[in-house]
């Protein structure tokens, strides 16, 4: 069958790389793609906000499956339009995508379904939010309700910082995403990411990961979309994964179905592993970036077949996902200035990279040269017997890349590497 992949980042390059390996895949199209994706797919110019144009392309090119990589088209309802036209799509409809599109919607869903999460209050005005700070102790967690490219969460250590964040959000600093805010209690513990696939009825686990959000070594500096990740996350033991499935994922799927908005696609749960057990931080309605890159490096199955089973409501009939026992680790190379204003146009040479897989995140071709075109530019991804080994291979590849206007963190996987050095092992089976 022919497949259309929507998106242009590192996540989509990883998906394209895996989809292209499927025996089911005849021609893989990508809109808009990037130079890395072009090695796996035929790039097409398509305005994904123009649903009629997407449907016309699908009809004209015999598309049997559409895979939506980023969140914005899902929140915009592209899934609804495709399903209404009878085109199988991997990704939720607009109402179900509110699990990512609205922090407040997800918190209310957790309250209704009894899902463990942080205490919270929703506020639709600056005055209400400022007054609502009195319901919480510092540090304060202030979240823009809508989509903010992974940057809409502020951890404020003082009331003054919290008031400034609220003023920024209601003052337009986050666009429409800040028209409403959620204030949450601060949770203490280690963060981890858990993934599950669902067709709205059945659910299967799809691996774990940990990422590094802060821009600087030692988890310092401002939050970013992610500076690196590794999979599996050994802190998510087999017992904890079972608990997450039973107390968080399955109740979510059941509640969404009962509310008449069944969720189909991947559920990406950001978790805080607290002393009281796993608690949901937030949901994403698509694969994480850069978590997707390490998951795809380890996934052993036929991605197209599995996504088609999800899209057609036949997940129960699909082969269960299997993963390599190896660890995969990815290092994000970003353009100088990120997460502020990145320096675009810097030249990149990948000719000396040997062992690692380099996924393109923010690249373009100009006059026959590869150049940086975004904030996060490359995902240098490697595998090994553990985090320490995968980290060594990944950073050897980073050092072989010629990207003078780029930078990266040098400590991706540091927590787990320290645990490995101390011989502190967890039991994990993805």
């Amino acid at each position: 069958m022919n497949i259309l992949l929507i998106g242009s980042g590192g996540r989509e390059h990883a998906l394209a790389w895996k989809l292209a390996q499927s025996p089911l895949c005849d021609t893989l199209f990508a809109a808009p793609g990037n130079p890395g994706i072009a090695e796996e797919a035929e790039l097409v110019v398509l305005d994904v906000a123009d649903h009629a144009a997407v449907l016309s392309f699908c009809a004209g090119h015999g598309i049997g499956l559409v895979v939506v990589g980023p969140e914005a088209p899902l929140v915009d309802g592209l899934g609804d339009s495709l399903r209404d036209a009878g085109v199988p799509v991997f990704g939720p409809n607009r109402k179900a995508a509110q699990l990512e599109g609205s922090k407040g919607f997800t918190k209310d869903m957790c309250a209704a379904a009894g899902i463990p999460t942080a205490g919270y209050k929703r506020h639709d005005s600056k005055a209400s939010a400022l007054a609502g700070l009195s319901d919480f102790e510092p540090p304060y967690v202030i979240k823009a309700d809508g989509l903010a490219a992974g940057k809409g969460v502020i951890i404020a250590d003082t009331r003054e910082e919290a008031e400034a964040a609220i003023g920024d959000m209601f003052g337009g600093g986050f666009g429409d995403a800040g028209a409403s805010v959620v204030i949450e209690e601060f949770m203490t513990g280690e963060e981890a990411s858990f993934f599950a696939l669902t067709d709205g009825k059945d659910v299967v686990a799809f691996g774990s990961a940990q990422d590094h959000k802060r821009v600087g070594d030692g988890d310092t500096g401002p939050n970013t979309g992610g500076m690196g990740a590794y999979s599996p996350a050994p802190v998510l033991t087999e017992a904890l994964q079972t608990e997450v499935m039973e107390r968080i994922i399955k109740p979510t799927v059941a509640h969404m179905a009962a509310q008449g908005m069944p969720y189909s696609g991947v559920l990406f749960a950001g978790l805080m592993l607290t002393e009281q057990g796993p608690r949901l931080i937030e949901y994403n309605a698509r694969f994480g970036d850069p978590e997707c890159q390490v998951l795809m490096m380890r996934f052993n199955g036929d991605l197209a077949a599995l996504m088609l089973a999800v899209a057609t409501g036949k997940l129960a009939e699909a082969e269960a996902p299997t993963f390599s026992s190896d660890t995969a680790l990815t290092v994000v190379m970003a353009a100088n200035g990120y997460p502020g204003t990145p320096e675009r146009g810097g030249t990149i040479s990948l000719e000396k990279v040997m062992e690692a897989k380099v996924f393109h995140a923010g690249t373009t071709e100009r006059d026959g040269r590869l150049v940086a075109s975004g904030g996060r530019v490359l995902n240098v991804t490697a595998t090994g017997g553990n985090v320490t080994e995968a980290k060594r291979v990944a950073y050897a590849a980073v050092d072989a890349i010629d990207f003078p206007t780029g930078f990266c963190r040098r400590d991706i996987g540091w927590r787990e590497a320290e645990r490995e050095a101390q011989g502190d092992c967890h039991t994990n089976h993805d």
Side-chain angles (χ1 to χ4, degrees):
M1 66 178 174
N2 294 340
I3 301 172
L4 172 62
L5 172 66
I6 304 293
S8 63
R11 166 183 47 226
E12 287 77 34
H13 188 183
L15 292 174
W17 174 70
K18 206 66 185 180
L19 285 167
Q21 297 171 24
S22 169
L24 283 181
C25 183
D26 292 323
T27 301
L28 176 62
F29 297 96
N34 65 38
I37 294 173
E39 297 174 5
E40 312 289 351
E42 182 179 325
L43 304 191
V44 294
V45 178
L46 197 56
D47 179 4
V48 298
D50 183 346
H51 295 187
V54 176
L55 292 175
S56 176
F57 180 87
C58 291
H61 293 81
I63 301 298
L65 174 67
V66 176
V67 177
V68 183
E71 63 274 17
L74 298 170
V75 173
D76 185 47
L78 181 58
D80 303 71
S81 298
L82 289 163
R83 287 188 174 91
D84 288 347
V87 180
V89 55
F90 183 86
N93 279 350
R94 180 181 59 81
K95 286 184 177 180
Q98 289 180 94
L99 283 177
E100 176 163 7
S102 169
K103 305 286 195 306
F105 174 88
T106 298
K107 300 299 287 192
D108 290 348
M109 183 279 299
C110 288
I115 292 167
T117 188
Y120 75 103
K121 291 287 181 66
R122 298 180 68 173
H123 297 280
D124 295 324
S125 73
K126 178 180 176 181
S128 172
L130 290 173
L133 286 173
S134 298
D135 296 329
F136 298 88
E137 299 289 333
Y140 303 93
V141 182
I142 317 294
K143 295 183 176 182
D145 181 71
L147 296 179
K151 301 170 188 174
V153 179
I154 304 294
I155 310 296
D157 291 323
T158 66
R159 187 175 181 109
E160 290 73 23
E161 289 176 9
E163 291 175 351
I166 288 169
D168 192 25
M169 288 182 184
F170 283 107
F174 292 83
D176 292 341
S180 175
V181 305
V182 175
I183 303 176
E184 293 186 7
E185 68 169 316
F186 181 80
M187 293 189 290
T188 301
E190 191 165 341
E191 290 189 40
S193 301
F194 182 80
F195 299 83
L197 303 183
T198 177
D199 58 7
K201 308 182 298 291
D202 294 292
V203 189
V204 296
F206 198 80
S208 65
Q210 282 188 290
D211 75 333
H212 297 262
K213 287 294 187 194
R214 301 279 186 171
V215 72
D217 285 7
D219 296 317
T220 57
N223 268 333
T224 72
M227 293 300 293
Y230 56 93
S231 174
V235 292
L236 266 178
T237 62
E238 192 169 359
L240 283 176
Q241 290 189 54
T242 299
E243 184 177 352
V244 170
M245 282 289 281
E246 296 302 322
R247 297 190 61 205
I248 297 176
I249 303 295
K250 289 181 179 179
T252 297
V253 172
H255 179 82
M256 295 295 285
Q259 295 301 306
M261 50 182 89
Y263 188 99
S264 175
V266 59
L267 259 182
F268 164 15
L271 304 169
M272 185 68 76
L273 306 182
T274 73
E275 291 182 355
Q276 294 76 37
R279 298 170 80 183
L280 181 71
I281 301 172
E282 64 182 13
Y283 273 128
N284 289 315
R286 37 70 192 181
F287 283 108
D289 188 345
E291 294 94 338
C292 183
Q293 289 83 314
V294 288
L295 286 172
M296 291 304 123
M297 287 289 281
R298 296 183 55 238
F299 177 56
N300 287 329
D302 184 331
L303 186 63
L306 188 56
M307 287 182 159
L308 184 63
V310 169
T312 55
K314 297 179 180 178
L315 183 57
E317 303 170 22
E319 188 174 324
T322 58
F323 292 84
S324 163
S325 60
D326 280 351
T327 293
L329 182 142
T330 190
V331 178
V332 171
M333 297 192 74
N336 288 339
Y338 179 78
T341 303
E343 183 177 339
R344 301 173 189 269
T347 59
I348 303 163
S349 174
L350 305 174
E351 293 176 0
K352 295 181 180 179
V353 176
M354 301 296 289
E355 293 184 72
K357 175 68 180 176
V358 180
F359 294 113
H360 293 229
T363 66
T364 190
E365 285 187 350
R366 184 180 301 162
D367 300 325
R369 297 176 300 129
L370 188 66
V371 301
S373 62
R376 293 185 294 170
V377 179
L378 303 170
N379 308 137
V380 186
T381 314
T383 58
N386 56 21
V387 165
T388 303
E389 187 179 331
K391 183 177 178 180
R392 178 189 60 77
V393 178
Y395 278 108
V398 166
D399 293 337
I401 292 171
D402 185 13
F403 180 21
T405 60
F407 74 97
C408 69
R409 282 183 55 165
R410 304 296 305 192
D411 65 343
I412 300 303
W414 68 266
R415 283 190 191 86
E416 199 55 41
E418 284 185 359
R419 284 193 279 254
E420 289 172 358
Q422 295 164 5
D424 181 13
C425 297
H426 299 268
T427 301
N428 182 286
H429 300 287
D430 272 352

